[in-house]
Amino acid sequence: MYCHVCFEPINESIIWGNFFTISTRKICYSCEAKLIRLTNQPYLCEKCMKPMQNDEPICGDCLAWGDRLNEDPIYKNISIFMYDNFMKDLMTKFKYRGDYEIIYIFEKEIKMTFQTYFSKKRLSIVPIPLSSERKKERGFNQAEAIAQFFNQPIKSILTRKSSEKQSKKSKVERIFSENPFQLKNIEPLEDVLLVDDLYTTGTTLRQAANLLKQIGAKTIYSFTLIRS
């Protein structure tokens, strides 16, 4: 087996416990050590998991969303990793160079995190969609790639009007941008789990959540691989 990141062989010690099993590791121990898990950080916002400098329960961003929208449509966000230069390089390979195999590096962590926070909840799984142009260009939707590991039915009920890249916008431009989503079809919803790869300002998730609230969704959570 070779590491999907550095392409070096993955060397595992063979003992009786793993002699008759085939290794499913997709990342070597050296590269895995570079992944920074949010749960290892001393302080996190209880609502969005933003790393904090103190033990305040809620970050300023979440408080601002509550003030701006009167009621924040996202009840809680769960993320796994921090967005540093190493993770940025991985996402560039994954999303912009079409290396779909990168997602399997995170399979175990995604499954474990979903089980920890959401396995006992009855949720409609709704991935954040790409525009048709972006999906054709990329070949896949990264949110759907994450959601596949939940082993739950996926409801693709949203479409995206705009193909403009959020990464090209400033924080203020993102927050006040027009809602790019439309409802493809209306289904009965109660509790929802929105899925995306990256939580930056939280605007994209809240734009999608606002639409789902309009068709009766009650509690909306979000699951993102990375929190910047």
Side-chain angles (χ1 to χ4, degrees), residues 11-219:
N11 297 315
E12 293 196 84
S13 299
I14 298 177
I15 58 176
W16 283 113
N18 65 12
F19 186 80
F20 294 105
T21 62
I22 298 174
S23 173
T24 58
R25 288 187 66 86
K26 306 297 184 183
I27 185 171
C28 68
Y29 292 100
S30 177
C31 288
E32 186 178 39
K34 297 176 184 178
L35 298 173
I36 303 176
R37 290 161 179 77
L38 284 163
T39 51
N40 292 337
Q41 304 309 300
Y43 304 115
L44 296 173
C45 173
E46 294 177 1
K47 186 173 175 64
C48 73
M49 295 190 76
K50 179 179 180 178
M52 306 267 280
Q53 297 299 316
N54 54 51
D55 60 355
E56 290 292 325
I58 306 296
C59 71
D61 291 345
C62 285
L63 292 174
W65 277 116
D67 292 340
R68 191 177 298 119
L69 302 175
N70 294 323
E71 182 181 357
D72 192 340
I74 298 292
Y75 178 73
K76 187 178 181 67
N77 172 71
I78 297 297
S79 301
I80 305 174
F81 299 106
M82 287 184 64
Y83 194 51
D84 60 358
N85 288 333
F86 181 70
M87 182 61 80
K88 185 176 182 180
D89 289 343
L90 285 182
M91 288 298 102
T92 297
K93 291 178 182 178
F94 176 49
K95 292 165 62 174
Y96 306 121
R97 297 179 191 166
D99 189 353
Y100 187 85
E101 293 298 306
I102 289 288
I103 195 62
Y104 292 104
I105 290 172
F106 309 112
E107 179 179 358
K108 182 179 178 181
E109 294 280 358
I110 291 170
K111 288 180 175 179
M112 288 175 56
T113 303
F114 180 81
Q115 286 294 316
T116 299
Y117 291 96
F118 301 113
S119 63
K120 296 181 180 180
K121 300 181 186 298
R122 296 185 64 182
L123 299 166
S124 295
I125 310 296
V126 180
I128 294 294
L130 295 175
S131 67
S132 57
E133 299 95 330
R134 190 74 65 219
K135 188 170 184 179
K136 183 178 180 180
E137 174 187 295
R138 192 166 295 170
F140 60 89
N141 178 350
Q142 66 273 11
E144 292 175 355
I146 294 167
Q148 69 175 316
F149 296 127
F150 301 161
N151 294 319
Q152 300 279 345
I154 293 174
K155 293 183 180 289
S156 299
I157 62 176
L158 296 174
T159 60
R160 191 172 197 137
K161 297 177 286 184
S162 172
S163 61
E164 185 178 1
K165 293 182 179 180
Q166 290 294 306
S167 60
K168 301 295 184 183
K169 296 179 180 179
S170 68
K171 180 176 180 178
V172 173
E173 288 173 333
R174 291 184 193 188
I175 291 172
F176 292 101
S177 61
E178 180 185 355
N179 195 325
F181 300 113
Q182 292 178 322
L183 288 164
K184 183 164 59 176
N185 53 284
I186 297 176
E187 297 185 26
L189 301 172
E190 289 194 6
D191 294 343
V192 173
L193 181 62
L194 285 169
V195 185
D196 206 0
D197 61 326
L198 176 63
Y199 184 118
T200 304
T201 64
T203 303
T204 298
L205 292 164
R206 287 173 173 85
Q207 288 171 329
N210 278 329
L211 276 182
L212 299 181
K213 284 283 188 181
Q214 291 173 23
I215 60 170
K218 294 179 181 178
T219 304

